[in-house]
Amino acid sequence: AQKVTQAQTEISVVEKEDVTLDCVYETRDTTYYLFWYKQPPSGELVFLIRRNSFDEQNEISGRYSWNFQKSTSSFNFTITASQVVDSAVYFCALSESWAGTALIFGKGTTLSVSS
Amino acid sequence: GAGVSQTPSNKVTEKGKYVELRCDPISGHTALYWYRQSLGQGPEFLIYFQGTGAADDSGLPNDRFFAVRPEGSVSTLKIQRTERGDSAVYLCASSHQTGVNTDTQYFGPGTRLTVL
């Protein structure tokens, strides 16, 4: 069975601190996709990144970076120099590779950034 | 371009009533998904449409839940004889289906359903 675990329920940091959100997944598939979504207080899930299981290269996008390690089944997300606008719930999700498969979400990590 | 839209944004109903929730996907997206998100939880899959047909409805919790997409665009999630446990945010997502591999799902703002 597929499962996503986000062990950190809540994280609080002060602006400009770096923060890493952990994501550990379980799947028997050899081909799969991993995602991160952001859910700000407004409620809408915002897509951040998609990764397939064959691409273990780390990715950086501005202040965001992602570390994918198949050996530890982890797909961690780091925000550098956090800002108040980063405050949100962040979800990690997993899906099989075939079109039309459902996303399996973790329970989310609530990030609070104070000024 | 326009994203996924959902109406109403909030719905309050009484136990036992019937409700309909509407989703308008991104133009050109053939795949449409419904999820349900309870407080403090991640979204949980309900049903997936490819075009007009429900390709996977394995997430529907029971036969009180039903969804349609008659013209392959707008979808309606229907809940009969609502129960207090149905209270949640119902999310809709859409995606391209460019090939056999999964595509990114883009979500709407959700409908918050409260059953009194």
Side-chain angles (χ1 to χ4, degrees):
Chain A
Q2 296 186 322
K3 184 179 178 183
V4 175
T5 301
Q6 294 180 256
Q8 304 151 309
T9 306
E10 293 184 20
I11 300 176
S12 294
V13 299
V14 178
E15 255 191 326
K16 298 184 184 176
E17 281 187 39
D18 298 347
V19 58
T20 295
L21 309 181
D22 297 333
C23 173
V24 174
Y25 62 92
E26 296 174 30
T27 180
R28 293 180 190 166
D29 298 327
T30 55
T31 305
Y32 50 89
Y33 284 85
L34 295 163
F35 301 79
W36 276 94
Y37 285 85
K38 174 182 180 180
Q39 190 172 44
S42 60
E44 188 162 343
L45 278 164
V46 177
F47 165 73
L48 295 178
I49 190 172
R50 179 177 91 144
R51 222 21 165 197
N52 78 51
S53 52
F54 293 111
D55 184 1
E56 285 192 74
Q57 276 194 329
N58 292 334
E59 180 153 342
I60 299 174
S61 176
R63 296 184 297 107
Y64 295 171
S65 62
W66 291 269
N67 182 285
F68 176 29
Q69 298 210 345
K70 284 178 80 170
S71 61
T72 55
S73 297
S74 66
F75 186 43
N76 296 339
F77 173 30
T78 297
I79 302 174
T80 302
S82 58
Q83 300 176 2
V84 172
V85 293
D86 296 327
S87 297
V89 182
Y90 290 86
F91 290 97
C92 181
L94 166 71
S95 79
E96 294 176 302
S97 66
W98 300 111
T101 57
L103 291 171
I104 307 299
F105 285 86
K107 290 189 175 182
T109 297
T110 300
L111 174 65
S112 298
V113 182
S114 57
S115 56
Chain B
V4 178
S5 61
Q6 292 187 246
T7 54
S9 55
N10 279 285
K11 177 71 178 177
V12 180
T13 190
E14 293 180 344
K15 180 174 178 293
K17 298 290 188 183
Y18 167 82
V19 296
E20 290 189 352
L21 312 179
R22 176 188 166 108
C23 171
D24 202 338
I26 293 171
S27 178
H29 281 189
T30 57
L32 185 146
Y33 305 76
W34 283 99
Y35 292 80
R36 178 167 72 172
Q37 185 176 20
S38 301
L39 196 62
Q41 304 293 317
E44 294 180 323
F45 169 75
L46 295 176
I47 187 169
Y48 154 63
F49 285 90
Q50 177 55 259
T52 59
D56 181 1
D57 64 359
S58 61
L60 294 177
N62 52 60
D63 61 6
R64 295 186 298 105
F65 288 74
F66 188 71
V68 296
R69 194 184 185 199
E71 297 178 357
S73 178
V74 171
S75 175
T76 305
L77 179 65
K78 308 180 181 194
I79 310 174
Q80 298 177 321
R81 305 183 304 280
T82 52
E83 299 177 357
R84 292 195 180 89
D86 298 335
S87 296
V89 175
Y90 289 81
L91 295 167
C92 178
S94 71
S95 72
H96 273 300
Q97 214 68 357
T98 54
V100 296
N101 292 325
T102 194
D103 282 288
T104 298
Q105 296 178 30
Y106 295 92
F107 285 80
T111 294
R112 182 176 298 279
L113 175 66
T114 303
V115 182
L116 301 176

